[in-house]
Amino acid sequence: MELWYRAPAESWTQALPLGNGRLGAMVYGGVEKETICLNEDTFWSGYPRALACGSKEDSFREIRRLTMEGRLGQAQRLFEREMSFAPGESYQPVGNLHLFFESPGIVEDYRRSLRLDDAAARVSYRAGETAFKREVLASYPHQVLAVRLEASRPGALSFSASFDSPLHCRTWADDGVLWLLTRAPSLVEPNYSDLLPEPVQYSDAPEEQGMQALTGLRVTLTGGQLRCEGERLSVSGADSATLYLAIRTGYRGFDKLPDTPESELRQQCLLDLRSAPEYAELRRAHQEDYRAYYERVDFHLEGTSREDLPTDERLRQFDPDRPDMGLYPLLFQYGRYLMISGSRPGTQPLNLQGIWNAQVRPPWSSNYTLNINTQMNYWPALPCNLEEFQEPLERLVKELAVTGADAARKLYGAEGYVCHHNTDLWRFAWPVGGRTEGCTGYAFWYMAAPWLCRHLFDRYAYTLDKEYLRDTAYPLMKGAAKFLLDILTPGPDGKLIPSPSTSPENSFRYEGEPCSLDRTAAMSIAITRELFHNCIKACAILDIDSGFSQRLQEALDGMAPYAIGRQGQLLEWSREYQETEPRHRHLSHLYGVYPGEEINRDDAPELLEACRRSLELRGDEGTGWSLAWKVCQWSRQRDGERAVRALNMQLRLVEEGGIHLHGGGSYANLFCAHPPFQIDGNFGAAAGIAEMLLQSREGCLDLLPALPADWTGGHAAGLRAKGTLRVDITWKNDVCEAVLLSQIEQTVSVSAFDGRRRSVRLQAGVPSRQQWHREETGRPAGSYPNQ
């Protein structure tokens, strides 16, 4: 399975991504000039900063009082004046490696590709009687980027290598190594802001200096000569060459100044370069490491698949009425590829652009946006059998619990910890907005930590690892729950609500003006209920904290319920307002359907129907990541036709630049187009496809619950389900066969084609083969309840 093209990339969203979790590269594949954009996941602007304010508890309580009295505009203005602070920092590009080749003359048979089964980018072409080959990979075992260059005719390979960077930098060569030293800015104003006269600032003060990144390049040859020429390396008359590239930064931790000296960075780079083996061994180790994860899951759909066409042409020609069936598995496996390439145990978590960014002021700072985007990045980790790759997200929560405790105390007078809709490498936890008018809609949202805790409890639900639950998940869940207990307050009817609240980035009309702040919001209720329920379960499983569990249960019993509006929709806020943007990209009020599971057909069918009505009112169109969320939502509604409709929209080729709030799709390199590029939609699409094929709740398993009519046959092996289950599914027309493998002895309730359930007894470690026929469901293909 591969992405391939007949021409070099002309833009960044045509280049091909490589990564080992820490190092990122975008490969253009030029003939006379190869450009490889370089990233390292800890290379950010700025340095650690504390929340520089005294107590704001009185301001928060006044905001709440005004909100309860219906003076929403006053409350919103007070928040923006007293509780919105400066934004965080930006993920930075390290620089670019350029390879300049002698003009080959007329080029024939050009091909550029990215193989997903071995995580290598390749370029090949002929010039006269000489065939040239290029292979690039990012090695996790050896922590280097490697470029292999070959020519079929002896002595035909000549080129030079140089670096540049959009940041402050210098380059030099010594002892056969080409070096690039880059310094990140001390401050980068977000791309959406225009408040500072100098948006990119470098400070000379030692405590304010941005970190350094040192990049080293070493070249080995077969035949030919290597020369150091000032700021470049030159090779002439070689048969083949291997380039090894190492990057190390001054980052020492989220709470420490990034002041690792240049001499130490040099030692680290030299160790990486000298430890890298010959290319054949490095390639073998890379493939063995990568394939151990990638090959866990196999997915194939029957039908016409146009692998004979370049990927950009496949997207351009894609017709939902006669779909290229191979694009769905390609999009699915590409999401898994990007996770393996962008998130490894010990690395930083995936940000808005994963680990790939070429801009000093990238869209939305390429930060961690915690009101959907960072969470969506990790939706496929557990169901798509990449459990280990969630570790960076879990470490993010641990670090935010440290900075967030200070924010909870200062801003709310609350126990536990809090974080808001943004954070960065330095793990700031305060609401950003810089006192700008209208920032309430995104800044005043304190539910990030409780949402992130869902991922922690989900890992337990999939693995049943009590040690992980006791030592990692539950302490963080308890801290987030303590904060929410302090935030809950009686509403006008006496029912407890998290108040005041916003619904991320959305607004309504109030007294003739746009307003974002209300007494409460459906999403706040949903996340609070979910966290409390999960904490109560954890206490019972671990047999601990019975008193705290009782406090949570009493709060749950007193909480306000969801509400349904005049059009049959789930209400997004405390009452039915006129929506400012009825087709808004966020689906926050539907959290309880997905990624939550409290609202489901078995336990809350009326609420599920109200959520379906809300989905219909939101419409099909959306940004790239919004489309992915709709795939997941429609899958939970068991409506495969609507799910695949959103998926088809995500397969639209986007060739324009800029920022848009609609018209999402995919760029030529299959990156998700918001537009601009955001990687969350790639992961959301992979999770959505997994939901179409397999859904699980405690003790329940649903096979092919949202199968589109066009997906008449296929195979999905290696998917994971809650309760330690691994599931292989094969289907053809009206027959489904599944192999279930459990690590424990258990009985599960299983359905297929969204039909009647069947109890299946599983023995630990013993595969169980089961078969279903669609006639058992009484529902034809493409027919769904409530449709």
Side-chain angles (χ1 to χ4, degrees), residues 345-383:
T347 70
Q348 294 300 307
L350 295 150
N351 62 50
L352 270 178
Q353 278 72 36
I355 58 171
W356 298 276
N357 168 48
Q359 301 177 54
V360 177
R361 298 178 72 194
W364 299 286
S365 301
S366 195
N367 62 17
Y368 301 106
T369 305
L370 302 174
N371 63 15
I372 174 60
N373 314 91
T374 300
Q375 290 90 335
M376 183 181 284
N377 285 352
Y378 287 91
W379 284 355
L382 294 165

Side-chain angles (χ1 to χ4, degrees), residues 498-552:
S499 180
S501 289
T502 60
S503 193
E505 303 184 30
N506 204 358
S507 63
F508 51 89
R509 305 291 298 182
Y510 189 74
E511 296 180 346
E513 299 291 334
C515 186
S516 298
L517 192 62
D518 195 19
R519 290 169 180 161
T520 196
M523 185 184 225
S524 298
I525 291 172
I527 293 177
T528 301
R529 290 178 59 84
E530 175 183 82
L531 179 60
F532 287 7
H533 276 301
N534 288 343
C535 283
I536 291 168
K537 289 179 185 177
C539 290
I541 292 165
L542 299 173
D543 194 21
I544 59 172
D545 267 356
S546 59
F548 185 66
S549 177
Q550 181 62 33
R551 282 184 64 196
L552 295 175

Side-chain angles (χ1 to χ4, degrees), residues 43 78 100 115 139 156 174 224 243 272 368 370 410 419 444 538 569 634-635 638 640 649 672 677 686 709 716:
F43 195 54
L78 180 58
F100 298 91
R115 285 261 304 270
S139 167
D174 61 38
L243 287 66
D272 291 337
Y368 301 106
L370 302 174
K410 286 183 176 179
C419 51
F444 197 13
Q569 83 281 20
W634 283 116
S635 295
R638 311 298 178 91
M649 295 173 77
C672 170
F677 163 57

Side-chain angles (χ1 to χ4, degrees), residues 766-781:
V766 180
S768 174
R769 188 177 299 274
Q770 303 286 323
Q771 190 176 88
W772 284 262
H773 294 265
R774 193 186 295 271
E775 54 263 26
E776 297 177 25
T777 73
R779 185 178 301 121

Side-chain angles (χ1 to χ4, degrees), residues 496-749:
L496 293 176
I497 53 175
S499 180
S501 289
T502 60
S503 193
E505 303 184 30
N506 204 358
S507 63
F508 51 89
R509 305 291 298 182
Y510 189 74
E511 296 180 346
E513 299 291 334
C515 186
S516 298
L517 192 62
D518 195 19
R519 290 169 180 161
T520 196
M523 185 184 225
S524 298
I525 291 172
I527 293 177
T528 301
R529 290 178 59 84
E530 175 183 82
L531 179 60
F532 287 7
H533 276 301
N534 288 343
C535 283
I536 291 168
K537 289 179 185 177
C539 290
I541 292 165
L542 299 173
D543 194 21
I544 59 172
D545 267 356
S546 59
F548 185 66
S549 177
Q550 181 62 33
R551 282 184 64 196
L552 295 175
Q553 187 60 59
E554 290 172 359
L556 275 173
D557 293 342
M559 279 191 69
Y562 300 103
I564 296 175
R566 290 190 299 269
Q567 298 180 77
Q569 83 281 20
L570 192 77
L571 288 189
E572 189 160 359
W573 293 281
S574 68
R575 50 185 280 202
E576 192 157 9
Y577 296 106
Q578 179 187 351
E579 296 179 79
T580 305
E581 191 180 346
R583 304 275 171 147
H584 196 267
R585 59 198 176 277
H586 282 259
L587 306 173
S588 304
H589 53 315
L590 308 185
Y591 179 97
V593 177
Y594 188 97
E597 57 187 41
E598 180 185 33
I599 299 177
N600 61 73
R601 189 171 59 182
D602 296 330
D603 300 324
E606 291 183 2
L607 288 176
L608 185 66
E609 180 61 24
C611 291
R612 180 186 181 91
R613 181 62 182 144
S614 292
L615 268 178
E616 292 170 344
L617 292 171
R618 273 293 197 264
D620 292 325
E621 190 57 85
T623 62
W625 62 263
S626 179
L627 293 172
W629 199 353
K630 289 174 181 176
V631 176
C632 297
Q633 286 281 342
W634 283 116
S635 295
R636 287 283 172 92
Q637 292 283 348
R638 311 298 178 91
D639 192 332
E641 300 310 313
R642 295 298 292 267
V644 82
R645 185 188 301 178
L647 201 57
N648 290 341
M649 295 173 77
Q650 196 159 1
L651 287 170
R652 298 178 297 197
L653 179 62
V654 174
E655 299 181 272
E656 61 187 282
I659 296 175
H660 304 274
L661 300 182
H662 56 82
S666 295
Y667 291 109
N669 63 2
L670 220 54
F671 269 168
C672 170
H674 179 293
F677 163 57
Q678 283 186 196
I679 204 166
D680 40 24
N682 288 104
F683 298 119
I689 291 171
E691 286 288 319
M692 296 167 75
L693 300 171
L694 175 69
Q695 294 176 24
S696 65
R697 290 183 291 120
E698 184 177 358
C700 296
L701 197 63
D702 297 307
L703 313 176
L704 309 179
L707 194 69
D710 283 343
W711 294 17
T712 56
H715 176 69
L719 296 174
R720 295 293 304 276
K722 292 178 179 177
T724 78
L725 289 166
R726 175 197 154 120
V727 182
D728 299 347
I729 312 169
T730 302
W731 74 96
K732 178 72 174 179
N733 296 326
D734 295 333
V735 178
C736 166
E737 185 174 275
V739 177
L740 313 180
L741 180 63
S742 173
Q743 296 176 25
I744 62 169
E745 184 175 338
Q746 62 177 313
T747 298
V748 292
S749 176

